[in-house]
Amino acid sequence: MLVLACGLWLSGCTSVGPTRSDASGASPAPERRTVQLGLALGGGAARGFAHVGVIQVLEEAGLQPSHVTGTSAGSLVAALYASGKSGSELTRLAESMQEAEITDWMLPILNRGALRGEALAKYVNTQVGGKNLEQMKIPLGIVATDLRTGEAITFRRGNTGAAVRASSAVPAVFQPVRIGGNEYVDGGLVAPVPVRQARDMGANFVIAVDISSDPEGNPSGDTFQILMQTFAIMGKSINTLALKDADFVVRPALSGVKSADFGARRRSIDAGRAAMLAQLPRLKERLAAFEAGR
């Protein structure tokens, strides 16, 4: 009996082997992946209203980002969105926003900038209900440039308004922002669209919204337009590299919309919406393929 029992046990063991393909010879189906969707909103001054249109369409499609990052104008929209505002609420804010609410002109001090940026910080903190970065409904990263080292810094904790103010501090227009003993300026200098920063936060599929403008001939004599032209020239090559790391890129058609044109906000929102609607079927296909492990 003992020998018989051992024999049966051994025969059972020999029937267990490595997993093989089925009779058709097909390999096992790849394991499904869970999408951690990142939304990276780029800089572009007044062209940033286009981000609102993109968010509207994603929301209507039921696509909720798990992480949001923003640079410059994108940092403002990212902060408001991450705080819990819906696409329709963002639209109402955009349409009612007065330029005077976010600007505080002063005589330049040692040529460090004519705008303090305190009005922008106050506006942001009011709209997010005083929430710090770490208290947002969607994990949020605000990107600025360390003025001393030239490195990109992602703020994830602390005062939201101060972080957006730093991310938006265009050199020679806004004064550099001092946080924790260091000075910071516009994040667009090093991360025009913060794709890598979204990945660093945990996103495994990143939608990048690029609202940058190509250089458009000789700018007017306006100092701000000259600066924006300089940013466009500098950011073009940086963007080319950054966007290669994105899984999906949305580029609203904003030709002719100047960086200082706050009057074109409705046109910008519509452009963002149209661009995202046009690409939504392809985005859904890409997301389905990613989830299926293809």
Side-chain angles (χ1 to χ4, degrees):
M1 291 295 292
L2 178 61
V3 172
L4 178 60
C6 289
L8 291 172
W9 180 79
L10 287 171
S11 66
C13 289
T14 56
S15 67
V16 178
T19 302
R20 299 180 183 277
S21 301
D22 59 24
S24 66
S27 300
E31 185 177 348
R32 293 189 67 83
R33 292 181 290 189
T34 300
V35 175
Q36 294 293 319
L37 185 62
L39 181 62
L41 305 181
R47 297 159 66 93
F49 291 109
H51 292 313
V52 174
V54 172
I55 289 171
Q56 284 178 356
V57 175
L58 291 176
E59 186 179 74
E60 291 163 7
L63 298 174
Q64 171 72 52
S66 57
H67 303 83
V68 182
T69 55
T71 287
S72 198
S75 74
L76 171 59
V77 179
L80 299 179
Y81 179 49
S83 73
K85 294 192 183 300
S86 66
S88 59
E89 288 175 315
L90 290 175
T91 301
R92 286 195 295 270
L93 272 179
E95 291 178 338
S96 64
M97 180 187 293
Q98 300 298 316
E99 193 172 351
E101 292 182 284
I102 58 173
T103 56
D104 41 12
W105 294 96
M106 62 178 293
L107 291 175
I109 299 176
L110 298 177
N111 294 320
R112 302 200 89 205
L115 287 169
R116 287 192 298 269
E118 292 174 3
L120 173 60
K122 181 180 178 181
Y123 177 84
V124 171
N125 284 331
T126 298
Q127 296 301 331
V128 303
K131 293 187 183 77
N132 281 344
L133 294 167
E134 66 272 19
Q135 298 173 315
M136 295 296 171
K137 292 185 177 181
I138 305 173
L140 172 65
I142 301 297
V143 182
T145 303
D146 188 315
L147 186 58
R148 182 179 62 85
T149 65
E151 295 178 343
I153 302 296
T154 305
F155 291 106
R156 297 187 59 188
R157 301 184 63 83
N159 187 281
T160 304
V164 172
R165 176 187 176 188
S167 181
S168 306
V170 178
V173 176
F174 283 87
Q175 292 178 10
V177 179
R178 182 171 291 276
I179 300 175
N182 294 326
E183 288 190 315
Y184 299 94
V185 291
D186 197 303
L189 291 170
V190 288
V193 185
V195 175
R196 177 178 59 81
Q197 288 76 11
R199 290 204 185 281
D200 290 345
M201 288 177 63
N204 58 13
F205 189 104
V206 179
I207 301 172
V209 186
D210 178 19
I211 58 168
S212 63
S213 58
D214 289 328
E216 297 181 359
N218 292 323
S220 66
D222 180 79
T223 301
F224 185 76
Q225 288 297 339
I226 293 172
L227 278 170
M228 290 300 101
Q229 177 82 335
T230 303
F231 267 64
I233 295 168
M234 178 187 65
K236 191 172 182 179
S237 58
I238 301 174
N239 250 1
T240 300
L241 294 174
L243 293 174
K244 284 182 178 179
D245 195 32
D247 297 282
F248 199 86
V249 180
V250 181
R251 291 187 177 91
L254 294 167
S255 177
V257 178
K258 301 296 184 183
S259 298
D261 191 358
F262 279 81
R265 67 190 73 187
R266 184 71 252 180
R267 177 181 169 188
S268 296
I269 293 172
D270 290 344
R273 184 175 179 83
M276 191 66 258
L277 276 171
Q279 296 192 58
L280 189 59
R282 188 165 66 91
L283 173 59
K284 289 182 176 180
E285 290 177 2
R286 293 284 299 276
L287 285 169
F290 180 87
E291 287 181 317
R294 299 196 299 272

